[in-house]
mmCIF file of all heavy atoms in Angstrom:
data_model
loop_
_atom_site.group_PDB
_atom_site.id
_atom_site.type_symbol
_atom_site.label_atom_id
_atom_site.label_comp_id
_atom_site.label_asym_id
_atom_site.label_seq_id
_atom_site.Cartn_x
_atom_site.Cartn_y
_atom_site.Cartn_z
ATOM 1 N N PRO A 587 1.317 3.649 -0.416
ATOM 2 C CA PRO A 587 0.559 2.354 -0.521
ATOM 3 C C PRO A 587 -0.965 2.585 -0.214
ATOM 4 O O PRO A 587 -1.791 1.712 -0.558
ATOM 5 C CB PRO A 587 1.174 1.460 0.532
ATOM 6 C CG PRO A 587 2.590 2.037 0.741
ATOM 7 C CD PRO A 587 2.419 3.470 0.552
ATOM 8 N N PHE A 588 -1.350 3.719 0.394
ATOM 9 C CA PHE A 588 -2.728 3.979 0.623
ATOM 10 C C PHE A 588 -3.381 4.573 -0.645
ATOM 11 O O PHE A 588 -3.839 5.723 -0.628
ATOM 12 C CB PHE A 588 -2.895 4.889 1.853
ATOM 13 C CG PHE A 588 -2.274 4.373 3.148
ATOM 14 C CD1 PHE A 588 -1.284 5.092 3.749
ATOM 15 C CD2 PHE A 588 -2.651 3.152 3.627
ATOM 16 C CE1 PHE A 588 -0.693 4.608 4.932
ATOM 17 C CE2 PHE A 588 -2.045 2.662 4.834
ATOM 18 C CZ PHE A 588 -1.098 3.386 5.430
ATOM 19 N N VAL A 589 -3.405 3.845 -1.678
ATOM 20 C CA VAL A 589 -3.929 4.342 -2.964
ATOM 21 C C VAL A 589 -5.377 4.689 -2.933
ATOM 22 O O VAL A 589 -5.803 5.478 -3.757
ATOM 23 C CB VAL A 589 -3.668 3.304 -4.111
ATOM 24 C CG1 VAL A 589 -2.132 3.105 -4.309
ATOM 25 C CG2 VAL A 589 -4.320 1.978 -3.833
ATOM 26 N N ASP A 590 -6.109 4.134 -1.938
ATOM 27 C CA ASP A 590 -7.564 4.458 -1.842
ATOM 28 C C ASP A 590 -7.791 5.928 -1.473
ATOM 29 O O ASP A 590 -8.874 6.433 -1.687
ATOM 30 C CB ASP A 590 -8.213 3.505 -0.833
ATOM 31 C CG ASP A 590 -7.569 3.591 0.556
ATOM 32 O OD1 ASP A 590 -6.427 3.688 0.671
ATOM 33 O OD2 ASP A 590 -8.367 3.480 1.504
ATOM 34 N N ASP A 591 -6.781 6.591 -0.953
ATOM 35 C CA ASP A 591 -6.994 8.015 -0.625
ATOM 36 C C ASP A 591 -6.927 8.972 -1.821
ATOM 37 O O ASP A 591 -7.317 10.099 -1.695
ATOM 38 C CB ASP A 591 -5.922 8.484 0.398
ATOM 39 C CG ASP A 591 -6.138 7.912 1.797
ATOM 40 O OD1 ASP A 591 -7.285 7.552 2.083
ATOM 41 O OD2 ASP A 591 -5.101 7.850 2.545
ATOM 42 N N THR A 592 -6.462 8.433 -2.971
ATOM 43 C CA THR A 592 -6.099 9.342 -4.058
ATOM 44 C C THR A 592 -7.243 9.602 -5.059
ATOM 45 O O THR A 592 -7.184 10.577 -5.806
ATOM 46 C CB THR A 592 -4.935 8.768 -4.822
ATOM 47 O OG1 THR A 592 -5.229 7.514 -5.286
ATOM 48 C CG2 THR A 592 -3.666 8.750 -3.964
ATOM 49 N N ALA A 593 -8.233 8.725 -5.121
ATOM 50 C CA ALA A 593 -9.323 8.884 -6.109
ATOM 51 C C ALA A 593 -10.614 8.243 -5.632
ATOM 52 O O ALA A 593 -10.566 7.239 -4.940
ATOM 53 C CB ALA A 593 -8.897 8.326 -7.442
ATOM 54 N N VAL A 594 -11.727 8.808 -6.044
ATOM 55 C CA VAL A 594 -13.017 8.186 -5.897
ATOM 56 C C VAL A 594 -13.461 7.808 -7.314
ATOM 57 O O VAL A 594 -13.557 8.680 -8.169
ATOM 58 C CB VAL A 594 -14.072 9.183 -5.290
ATOM 59 C CG1 VAL A 594 -15.471 8.515 -5.238
ATOM 60 C CG2 VAL A 594 -13.612 9.580 -3.906
ATOM 61 N N ILE A 595 -13.698 6.538 -7.539
ATOM 62 C CA ILE A 595 -14.006 6.032 -8.864
ATOM 63 C C ILE A 595 -15.379 5.397 -8.913
ATOM 64 O O ILE A 595 -15.625 4.424 -8.156
ATOM 65 C CB ILE A 595 -12.919 5.018 -9.346
ATOM 66 C CG1 ILE A 595 -11.533 5.629 -9.253
ATOM 67 C CG2 ILE A 595 -13.239 4.491 -10.743
ATOM 68 C CD1 ILE A 595 -10.411 4.687 -9.451
ATOM 69 N N ILE A 596 -16.238 5.915 -9.737
ATOM 70 C CA ILE A 596 -17.608 5.334 -9.935
ATOM 71 C C ILE A 596 -17.931 5.444 -11.418
ATOM 72 O O ILE A 596 -17.751 6.541 -12.045
ATOM 73 C CB ILE A 596 -18.608 6.143 -9.090
ATOM 74 C CG1 ILE A 596 -18.273 6.063 -7.624
ATOM 75 C CG2 ILE A 596 -20.066 5.635 -9.341
ATOM 76 C CD1 ILE A 596 -19.115 6.946 -6.714
ATOM 77 N N ASN A 597 -18.397 4.364 -11.970
ATOM 78 C CA ASN A 597 -18.834 4.271 -13.379
ATOM 79 C C ASN A 597 -17.796 4.871 -14.363
ATOM 80 O O ASN A 597 -18.103 5.691 -15.279
ATOM 81 C CB ASN A 597 -20.158 5.070 -13.544
ATOM 82 C CG ASN A 597 -21.254 4.448 -12.816
ATOM 83 O OD1 ASN A 597 -21.209 3.213 -12.493
ATOM 84 N ND2 ASN A 597 -22.263 5.250 -12.449
ATOM 85 N N ASN A 598 -16.530 4.488 -14.201
ATOM 86 C CA ASN A 598 -15.438 4.881 -15.127
ATOM 87 C C ASN A 598 -15.049 6.329 -15.064
ATOM 88 O O ASN A 598 -14.478 6.855 -15.989
ATOM 89 C CB ASN A 598 -15.733 4.377 -16.547
ATOM 90 C CG ASN A 598 -14.437 4.024 -17.291
ATOM 91 O OD1 ASN A 598 -13.522 3.502 -16.719
ATOM 92 N ND2 ASN A 598 -14.391 4.466 -18.542
ATOM 93 N N ILE A 599 -15.528 7.022 -14.014
ATOM 94 C CA ILE A 599 -15.094 8.429 -13.766
ATOM 95 C C ILE A 599 -14.300 8.454 -12.487
ATOM 96 O O ILE A 599 -14.730 7.916 -11.459
ATOM 97 C CB ILE A 599 -16.348 9.324 -13.668
ATOM 98 C CG1 ILE A 599 -17.148 9.364 -14.949
ATOM 99 C CG2 ILE A 599 -15.870 10.799 -13.289
ATOM 100 C CD1 ILE A 599 -18.422 10.071 -14.840
ATOM 101 N N ALA A 600 -13.173 9.037 -12.512
ATOM 102 C CA ALA A 600 -12.259 9.101 -11.347
ATOM 103 C C ALA A 600 -12.199 10.571 -10.891
ATOM 104 O O ALA A 600 -11.761 11.443 -11.642
ATOM 105 C CB ALA A 600 -10.883 8.598 -11.661
ATOM 106 N N LEU A 601 -12.683 10.860 -9.713
ATOM 107 C CA LEU A 601 -12.471 12.176 -9.083
ATOM 108 C C LEU A 601 -11.140 12.104 -8.287
ATOM 109 O O LEU A 601 -11.054 11.362 -7.388
ATOM 110 C CB LEU A 601 -13.610 12.528 -8.095
ATOM 111 C CG LEU A 601 -13.402 13.795 -7.291
ATOM 112 C CD1 LEU A 601 -13.222 15.008 -8.155
ATOM 113 C CD2 LEU A 601 -14.644 13.951 -6.321
ATOM 114 N N MET A 602 -10.179 12.911 -8.763
ATOM 115 C CA MET A 602 -8.894 12.935 -8.085
ATOM 116 C C MET A 602 -9.025 13.683 -6.794
ATOM 117 O O MET A 602 -9.530 14.808 -6.775
ATOM 118 C CB MET A 602 -7.834 13.530 -9.002
ATOM 119 C CG MET A 602 -7.716 12.797 -10.391
ATOM 120 S SD MET A 602 -7.625 11.031 -10.305
ATOM 121 C CE MET A 602 -6.202 10.683 -9.298
ATOM 122 N N CYS A 603 -8.551 13.108 -5.767
ATOM 123 C CA CYS A 603 -8.723 13.690 -4.396
ATOM 124 C C CYS A 603 -7.559 14.672 -4.071
ATOM 125 O O CYS A 603 -6.631 14.826 -4.792
ATOM 126 C CB CYS A 603 -8.762 12.525 -3.380
ATOM 127 S SG CYS A 603 -10.154 11.487 -3.558
ATOM 128 N N ASN A 604 -7.787 15.289 -2.936
ATOM 129 C CA ASN A 604 -6.827 16.249 -2.431
ATOM 130 C C ASN A 604 -6.546 15.749 -0.993
ATOM 131 O O ASN A 604 -7.017 16.351 -0.056
ATOM 132 C CB ASN A 604 -7.432 17.683 -2.396
ATOM 133 C CG ASN A 604 -6.395 18.707 -2.034
ATOM 134 O OD1 ASN A 604 -5.214 18.435 -1.976
ATOM 135 N ND2 ASN A 604 -6.872 19.884 -1.758
ATOM 136 N N PRO A 605 -5.783 14.703 -0.844
ATOM 137 C CA PRO A 605 -5.553 14.102 0.478
ATOM 138 C C PRO A 605 -4.786 15.022 1.365
ATOM 139 O O PRO A 605 -4.006 15.894 0.898
ATOM 140 C CB PRO A 605 -4.818 12.798 0.197
ATOM 141 C CG PRO A 605 -4.355 12.875 -1.169
ATOM 142 C CD PRO A 605 -5.034 13.951 -1.901
ATOM 143 N N TYR A 606 -4.889 14.705 2.605
ATOM 144 C CA TYR A 606 -4.197 15.483 3.715
ATOM 145 C C TYR A 606 -2.676 15.453 3.534
ATOM 146 O O TYR A 606 -2.080 14.427 3.144
ATOM 147 C CB TYR A 606 -4.582 14.788 5.015
ATOM 148 C CG TYR A 606 -3.926 15.420 6.230
ATOM 149 C CD1 TYR A 606 -4.319 16.593 6.764
ATOM 150 C CD2 TYR A 606 -2.851 14.772 6.890
ATOM 151 C CE1 TYR A 606 -3.760 17.143 7.883
ATOM 152 C CE2 TYR A 606 -2.268 15.278 7.981
ATOM 153 C CZ TYR A 606 -2.703 16.477 8.521
ATOM 154 O OH TYR A 606 -2.091 17.000 9.575
ATOM 155 N N GLY A 607 -2.081 16.554 3.807
ATOM 156 C CA GLY A 607 -0.624 16.647 3.781
ATOM 157 C C GLY A 607 -0.055 16.800 2.413
ATOM 158 O O GLY A 607 -0.760 17.186 1.410
ATOM 159 N N ASN A 608 1.188 16.521 2.218
ATOM 160 C CA ASN A 608 1.910 16.714 1.004
ATOM 161 C C ASN A 608 1.885 15.417 0.151
ATOM 162 O O ASN A 608 2.864 14.720 0.075
ATOM 163 C CB ASN A 608 3.353 17.120 1.251
ATOM 164 C CG ASN A 608 4.129 17.442 0.001
ATOM 165 O OD1 ASN A 608 3.486 17.653 -1.070
ATOM 166 N ND2 ASN A 608 5.401 17.416 0.112
ATOM 167 N N ARG A 609 0.684 15.110 -0.364
ATOM 168 C CA ARG A 609 0.498 13.762 -1.015
ATOM 169 C C ARG A 609 0.185 13.957 -2.553
ATOM 170 O O ARG A 609 -0.256 13.006 -3.174
ATOM 171 C CB ARG A 609 -0.537 12.978 -0.361
ATOM 172 C CG ARG A 609 -0.172 12.674 1.090
ATOM 173 C CD ARG A 609 -1.137 11.882 1.838
ATOM 174 N NE ARG A 609 -1.265 10.560 1.221
ATOM 175 C CZ ARG A 609 -2.246 9.709 1.410
ATOM 176 N NH1 ARG A 609 -3.181 10.009 2.349
ATOM 177 N NH2 ARG A 609 -2.308 8.530 0.875
ATOM 178 N N GLN A 610 0.389 15.106 -3.121
ATOM 179 C CA GLN A 610 -0.069 15.362 -4.497
ATOM 180 C C GLN A 610 0.756 14.464 -5.476
ATOM 181 O O GLN A 610 0.290 14.123 -6.498
ATOM 182 C CB GLN A 610 0.059 16.816 -4.859
ATOM 183 C CG GLN A 610 -1.083 17.639 -4.208
ATOM 184 C CD GLN A 610 -2.451 17.083 -4.516
ATOM 185 O OE1 GLN A 610 -2.822 16.813 -5.666
ATOM 186 N NE2 GLN A 610 -3.182 16.824 -3.480
ATOM 187 N N GLY A 611 2.011 14.114 -5.104
ATOM 188 C CA GLY A 611 2.822 13.277 -5.938
ATOM 189 C C GLY A 611 2.162 11.885 -6.074
ATOM 190 O O GLY A 611 2.192 11.243 -7.084
ATOM 191 N N GLU A 612 1.502 11.426 -4.976
ATOM 192 C CA GLU A 612 0.748 10.157 -5.038
ATOM 193 C C GLU A 612 -0.435 10.254 -5.958
ATOM 194 O O GLU A 612 -0.729 9.325 -6.718
ATOM 195 C CB GLU A 612 0.283 9.770 -3.566
ATOM 196 C CG GLU A 612 1.348 9.574 -2.620
ATOM 197 C CD GLU A 612 0.796 9.418 -1.177
ATOM 198 O OE1 GLU A 612 -0.266 8.777 -1.044
ATOM 199 O OE2 GLU A 612 1.455 9.945 -0.264
ATOM 200 N N VAL A 613 -1.121 11.373 -5.845
ATOM 201 C CA VAL A 613 -2.315 11.611 -6.709
ATOM 202 C C VAL A 613 -1.894 11.611 -8.193
ATOM 203 O O VAL A 613 -2.565 10.981 -9.069
ATOM 204 C CB VAL A 613 -3.051 12.909 -6.315
ATOM 205 C CG1 VAL A 613 -4.176 13.173 -7.276
ATOM 206 C CG2 VAL A 613 -3.570 12.780 -4.885
ATOM 207 N N SER A 614 -0.737 12.258 -8.493
ATOM 208 C CA SER A 614 -0.307 12.320 -9.899
ATOM 209 C C SER A 614 0.023 10.899 -10.472
ATOM 210 O O SER A 614 -0.435 10.674 -11.633
ATOM 211 C CB SER A 614 0.961 13.113 -9.939
ATOM 212 O OG SER A 614 0.719 14.495 -9.618
ATOM 213 N N ALA A 615 0.603 10.046 -9.662
ATOM 214 C CA ALA A 615 0.917 8.669 -10.185
ATOM 215 C C ALA A 615 -0.402 7.896 -10.479
ATOM 216 O O ALA A 615 -0.494 7.241 -11.508
ATOM 217 C CB ALA A 615 1.724 7.930 -9.157
ATOM 218 N N ILE A 616 -1.381 8.009 -9.619
ATOM 219 C CA ILE A 616 -2.672 7.379 -9.797
ATOM 220 C C ILE A 616 -3.406 7.993 -10.995
ATOM 221 O O ILE A 616 -3.969 7.231 -11.852
ATOM 222 C CB ILE A 616 -3.500 7.415 -8.514
ATOM 223 C CG1 ILE A 616 -2.813 6.692 -7.387
ATOM 224 C CG2 ILE A 616 -4.893 6.859 -8.793
ATOM 225 C CD1 ILE A 616 -2.594 5.207 -7.600
ATOM 226 N N ARG A 617 -3.405 9.256 -11.078
ATOM 227 C CA ARG A 617 -4.048 9.954 -12.265
ATOM 228 C C ARG A 617 -3.517 9.405 -13.564
ATOM 229 O O ARG A 617 -4.233 9.063 -14.503
ATOM 230 C CB ARG A 617 -3.786 11.468 -12.214
ATOM 231 C CG ARG A 617 -4.468 12.273 -13.318
ATOM 232 C CD ARG A 617 -4.093 13.734 -13.259
ATOM 233 N NE ARG A 617 -4.632 14.445 -12.163
ATOM 234 C CZ ARG A 617 -3.939 14.882 -11.094
ATOM 235 N NH1 ARG A 617 -2.638 14.729 -11.046
ATOM 236 N NH2 ARG A 617 -4.556 15.482 -10.112
ATOM 237 N N GLN A 618 -2.204 9.366 -13.686
ATOM 238 C CA GLN A 618 -1.578 8.865 -14.900
ATOM 239 C C GLN A 618 -1.969 7.439 -15.196
ATOM 240 O O GLN A 618 -2.320 7.066 -16.337
ATOM 241 C CB GLN A 618 -0.064 8.969 -14.834
ATOM 242 C CG GLN A 618 0.466 10.341 -14.889
ATOM 243 C CD GLN A 618 1.945 10.436 -14.701
ATOM 244 O OE1 GLN A 618 2.628 9.399 -14.562
ATOM 245 N NE2 GLN A 618 2.491 11.648 -14.556
ATOM 246 N N THR A 619 -2.047 6.579 -14.172
ATOM 247 C CA THR A 619 -2.395 5.235 -14.345
ATOM 248 C C THR A 619 -3.882 5.099 -14.835
ATOM 249 O O THR A 619 -4.156 4.307 -15.709
ATOM 250 C CB THR A 619 -2.219 4.405 -13.044
ATOM 251 O OG1 THR A 619 -0.827 4.449 -12.751
ATOM 252 C CG2 THR A 619 -2.704 2.959 -13.248
ATOM 253 N N LEU A 620 -4.766 5.837 -14.183
ATOM 254 C CA LEU A 620 -6.168 5.782 -14.534
ATOM 255 C C LEU A 620 -6.431 6.252 -15.985
ATOM 256 O O LEU A 620 -7.205 5.654 -16.709
ATOM 257 C CB LEU A 620 -7.001 6.593 -13.574
ATOM 258 C CG LEU A 620 -7.018 6.089 -12.110
ATOM 259 C CD1 LEU A 620 -7.736 7.046 -11.226
ATOM 260 C CD2 LEU A 620 -7.630 4.654 -12.051
ATOM 261 N N LYS A 621 -5.747 7.317 -16.355
ATOM 262 C CA LYS A 621 -5.853 7.836 -17.718
ATOM 263 C C LYS A 621 -5.244 6.919 -18.745
ATOM 264 O O LYS A 621 -5.895 6.540 -19.757
ATOM 265 C CB LYS A 621 -5.244 9.259 -17.811
ATOM 266 C CG LYS A 621 -6.022 10.405 -17.377
ATOM 267 C CD LYS A 621 -5.249 11.678 -17.607
ATOM 268 C CE LYS A 621 -6.072 12.936 -17.299
ATOM 269 N NZ LYS A 621 -5.287 14.133 -17.515
ATOM 270 N N ARG A 622 -4.002 6.599 -18.554
ATOM 271 C CA ARG A 622 -3.232 5.951 -19.611
ATOM 272 C C ARG A 622 -3.561 4.465 -19.697
ATOM 273 O O ARG A 622 -3.701 3.873 -20.844
ATOM 274 C CB ARG A 622 -1.751 6.168 -19.443
ATOM 275 C CG ARG A 622 -1.345 7.577 -19.692
ATOM 276 C CD ARG A 622 0.149 7.792 -19.507
ATOM 277 N NE ARG A 622 0.492 9.161 -19.657
ATOM 278 C CZ ARG A 622 1.568 9.683 -19.196
ATOM 279 N NH1 ARG A 622 2.462 8.935 -18.562
ATOM 280 N NH2 ARG A 622 1.815 10.977 -19.324
ATOM 281 N N GLN A 623 -3.595 3.787 -18.571
ATOM 282 C CA GLN A 623 -3.797 2.316 -18.640
ATOM 283 C C GLN A 623 -5.261 1.909 -18.626
ATOM 284 O O GLN A 623 -5.553 0.805 -19.171
ATOM 285 C CB GLN A 623 -3.021 1.684 -17.477
ATOM 286 C CG GLN A 623 -1.487 1.818 -17.615
ATOM 287 C CD GLN A 623 -0.747 1.112 -16.514
ATOM 288 O OE1 GLN A 623 -1.034 1.286 -15.360
ATOM 289 N NE2 GLN A 623 0.262 0.374 -16.965
ATOM 290 N N LEU A 624 -6.118 2.686 -18.067
ATOM 291 C CA LEU A 624 -7.506 2.293 -17.970
ATOM 292 C C LEU A 624 -8.465 3.186 -18.775
ATOM 293 O O LEU A 624 -9.639 2.907 -18.965
ATOM 294 C CB LEU A 624 -7.982 2.285 -16.507
ATOM 295 C CG LEU A 624 -7.260 1.279 -15.628
ATOM 296 C CD1 LEU A 624 -7.779 1.353 -14.193
ATOM 297 C CD2 LEU A 624 -7.414 -0.121 -16.166
ATOM 298 N N GLY A 625 -7.892 4.320 -19.353
ATOM 299 C CA GLY A 625 -8.736 5.142 -20.208
ATOM 300 C C GLY A 625 -9.936 5.802 -19.493
ATOM 301 O O GLY A 625 -10.941 6.062 -20.080
ATOM 302 N N MET A 626 -9.788 6.016 -18.172
ATOM 303 C CA MET A 626 -10.878 6.608 -17.407
ATOM 304 C C MET A 626 -10.988 8.110 -17.662
ATOM 305 O O MET A 626 -10.025 8.795 -17.897
ATOM 306 C CB MET A 626 -10.676 6.374 -15.953
ATOM 307 C CG MET A 626 -10.977 5.033 -15.508
ATOM 308 S SD MET A 626 -11.039 4.850 -13.719
ATOM 309 C CE MET A 626 -11.443 3.166 -13.552
ATOM 310 N N LYS A 627 -12.170 8.609 -17.513
ATOM 311 C CA LYS A 627 -12.394 10.027 -17.527
ATOM 312 C C LYS A 627 -11.957 10.517 -16.125
ATOM 313 O O LYS A 627 -12.322 9.955 -15.077
ATOM 314 C CB LYS A 627 -13.860 10.406 -17.752
ATOM 315 C CG LYS A 627 -14.191 11.847 -17.674
ATOM 316 C CD LYS A 627 -15.637 12.134 -17.862
ATOM 317 C CE LYS A 627 -15.883 13.619 -17.675
ATOM 318 N NZ LYS A 627 -17.307 13.934 -17.682
ATOM 319 N N VAL A 628 -11.188 11.536 -16.065
ATOM 320 C CA VAL A 628 -10.630 12.065 -14.853
ATOM 321 C C VAL A 628 -11.157 13.486 -14.539
ATOM 322 O O VAL A 628 -11.173 14.306 -15.406
ATOM 323 C CB VAL A 628 -9.069 12.097 -14.853
ATOM 324 C CG1 VAL A 628 -8.538 12.798 -13.664
ATOM 325 C CG2 VAL A 628 -8.522 10.685 -14.983
ATOM 326 N N ALA A 629 -11.791 13.601 -13.341
ATOM 327 C CA ALA A 629 -12.291 14.898 -12.878
ATOM 328 C C ALA A 629 -11.370 15.407 -11.748
ATOM 329 O O ALA A 629 -10.784 14.565 -10.990
ATOM 330 C CB ALA A 629 -13.758 14.696 -12.390
ATOM 331 N N GLU A 630 -11.344 16.662 -11.632
ATOM 332 C CA GLU A 630 -10.436 17.300 -10.622
ATOM 333 C C GLU A 630 -11.271 18.022 -9.577
ATOM 334 O O GLU A 630 -12.383 18.415 -9.837
ATOM 335 C CB GLU A 630 -9.440 18.274 -11.274
ATOM 336 C CG GLU A 630 -8.577 17.618 -12.316
ATOM 337 C CD GLU A 630 -7.546 16.717 -11.814
ATOM 338 O OE1 GLU A 630 -7.181 16.747 -10.599
ATOM 339 O OE2 GLU A 630 -7.048 15.839 -12.567
ATOM 340 N N ILE A 631 -10.717 18.207 -8.390
ATOM 341 C CA ILE A 631 -11.356 18.980 -7.318
ATOM 342 C C ILE A 631 -11.560 20.419 -7.871
ATOM 343 O O ILE A 631 -10.682 21.001 -8.461
ATOM 344 C CB ILE A 631 -10.424 19.057 -6.088
ATOM 345 C CG1 ILE A 631 -10.304 17.663 -5.411
ATOM 346 C CG2 ILE A 631 -10.934 20.120 -5.114
ATOM 347 C CD1 ILE A 631 -11.465 17.205 -4.711
#
């Protein structure tokens, strides 16, 4: 539920984060949503 930990979004660019612990599955779900539903440009660490 702490979706704010998974990405930094500014000007339609989303930097996918690398949050603490084993949370990459959370990042993947947000990445897919940002790309597919919002058409955002996604940047990686």
